[in-house]
Amino acid sequence: PPRPRPSAAAAAAARPRPRLPPTRPRASTRPAMPIDLPPFLRKVVDATITERCASRFLDELDLFSDAECVKLAASKGVGLAIVAGSAIMKVPQIINILPGDTTGLSLARFVIEAVTFTVVASYNFLKGYPVSTWGENLFLLMQNYVIIFLIVYHRGQINSLTLISTVVYVAGTSLILSGSLEALPPFSIALMSGETVATKFALAGPGVLKTIFQLCTIVMVPISRVLQIYKSWSEGRTGQLSLPTSFLAAAGAVVRALTILKEVPDAVLLLAVTLSATLNNIVLFQIIYYNYISGSRRDVKEKGD
């Protein structure tokens, strides 16, 4: 006899049931806990990236929606990284000349650099600019002291002139930092362009610090680099110039120009750093050319002969 057909309900029950995806737990609706820093550290963060941005990042945990705060934090971070890196920037150069070989090094370049670092640090300090935009000058200055001493010592140039120059340098630095020059009666000279005054340079009184800064950064910085560039070009070698130090100096100057453009609206400072970056890259190119390109060609030629 024919088998009875199963009912519709029985047929539906016999069918395999589709597997449902596992249910995900619901996200918690509780707000995220703010980052609670120690009071002294919170003050440092507030002073570095402003209270508004610190509150946005730490209290609201909003890291990306405020473009201005993100740019400021990135600029500050890069600036502080440059300051930290400058603490060891010239250590390879110091190690190169510790044994006593100072060939290829221009003493005048490092002396002018030391004076420039001193003026730049003093100018920024007295202007109250953020340390993240100029702090590397202090570390580079300390390392330049060591390099100058090693060059003078190994070349046997420690004499009365060296001591007198040191005394004059210390006295001039103290005078700048004391603010005495700006307290003097105002006196300035003007450069004329036709019948109008193009630029005024204060020699005493308010504005004299800016004149000294302009003189050092726009005139002395290029001179110090040009002296080193000329010495390497005339000798056809770079001697004990350190490749890591020169690379860090060139890259750091480029990045520093970007941070100053963002944080400090000072055209003179930006021009000085741009000049420094350009000339530092020329020094770097000379090291690569004389040691790796020209030197390799010379070695191949000698082997062929």
Side-chain angles (χ1 to χ4, degrees):
R3 294 180 182 180
R5 293 183 180 181
S7 64
R15 291 175 189 167
R17 295 182 179 180
R19 294 183 180 180
L20 298 176
T23 58
R24 296 181 181 179
R26 293 184 179 180
S28 174
T29 57
R30 296 191 320 176
M33 296 295 292
I35 300 175
D36 189 15
L37 297 178
F40 76 93
L41 189 57
R42 181 57 187 260
K43 289 181 180 179
V44 173
V45 175
D46 289 346
T48 304
I49 60 174
T50 71
E51 293 184 11
R52 184 181 71 85
C53 292
S55 177
R56 180 61 63 90
F57 292 150
L58 301 178
D59 299 335
E60 303 174 17
L61 298 182
D62 183 2
L63 303 181
F64 302 107
S65 66
D66 194 323
E68 286 301 317
C69 285
V70 172
K71 291 179 183 178
L72 179 61
S75 176
K76 292 288 186 180
V78 170
L80 292 174
I82 293 175
V83 174
S86 68
I88 58 171
M89 181 182 293
K90 296 202 173 189
V91 170
Q93 184 66 76
I94 294 173
I95 293 174
N96 274 7
I97 60 179
L98 267 177
D101 187 1
T102 61
T103 56
L105 300 180
S106 170
L107 176 60
R109 172 215 170 165
F110 291 104
V111 171
I112 294 174
E113 274 188 356
V115 174
T116 304
F117 291 147
T118 303
V119 173
V120 171
S122 302
Y123 176 82
N124 283 274
F125 173 75
L126 294 176
K127 287 288 185 181
Y129 290 153
V131 178
S132 61
T133 62
W134 60 271
E136 73 273 10
N137 288 277
L138 294 177
F139 291 111
L140 295 175
L141 178 61
M142 298 299 110
Q143 294 166 82
N144 258 37
Y145 288 157
V146 177
I147 293 173
I148 291 170
F149 172 76
L150 289 174
I151 293 176
V152 171
Y153 175 77
H154 289 309
R155 292 179 181 176
Q157 296 177 343
I158 299 180
N159 47 39
S160 57
L161 178 61
T162 305
L163 297 177
I164 293 173
S165 301
T166 303
V167 171
V168 171
Y169 166 78
V170 173
T173 303
S174 303
L175 186 63
I176 292 174
L177 290 174
S178 67
S180 301
L181 290 175
E182 294 206 335
L184 296 173
F187 176 72
S188 62
I189 59 174
L191 297 182
M192 304 297 293
S193 177
E195 298 181 354
T196 61
V197 176
T199 309
K200 274 191 174 183
F201 293 99
L203 302 181
V208 66
L209 182 62
K210 186 174 183 179
T211 299
I212 298 174
F213 174 74
Q214 290 173 332
L215 176 65
C216 285
T217 55
I218 299 179
V219 178
M220 296 181 69
V221 168
I223 288 176
S224 68
R225 301 298 190 276
V226 168
L227 287 173
Q228 183 64 67
I229 292 169
Y230 176 76
K231 184 175 181 63
S232 299
W233 174 77
S234 60
E235 295 181 357
R237 58 176 182 170
T238 54
Q240 293 302 310
L241 277 178
S242 169
L243 176 61
T245 295
S246 298
F247 172 77
L248 291 174
V254 173
V255 178
R256 170 57 70 216
L258 298 177
T259 60
I260 288 176
L261 184 63
K262 170 64 181 173
E263 297 185 45
V264 180
D266 193 318
V268 176
L269 190 57
L270 181 61
L271 174 62
V273 176
T274 303
L275 283 173
S276 177
T278 303
L279 295 172
N280 277 334
N281 277 280
I282 294 176
V283 173
L284 176 63
F285 172 77
Q286 284 185 316
I287 295 175
I288 295 173
Y289 177 77
Y290 287 123
N291 289 283
Y292 299 98
I293 300 177
S294 178
S296 299
R297 291 176 181 173
R298 193 183 305 116
D299 293 340
V300 170
K301 185 177 180 181
E302 290 176 357
K303 288 180 181 179
D305 294 339

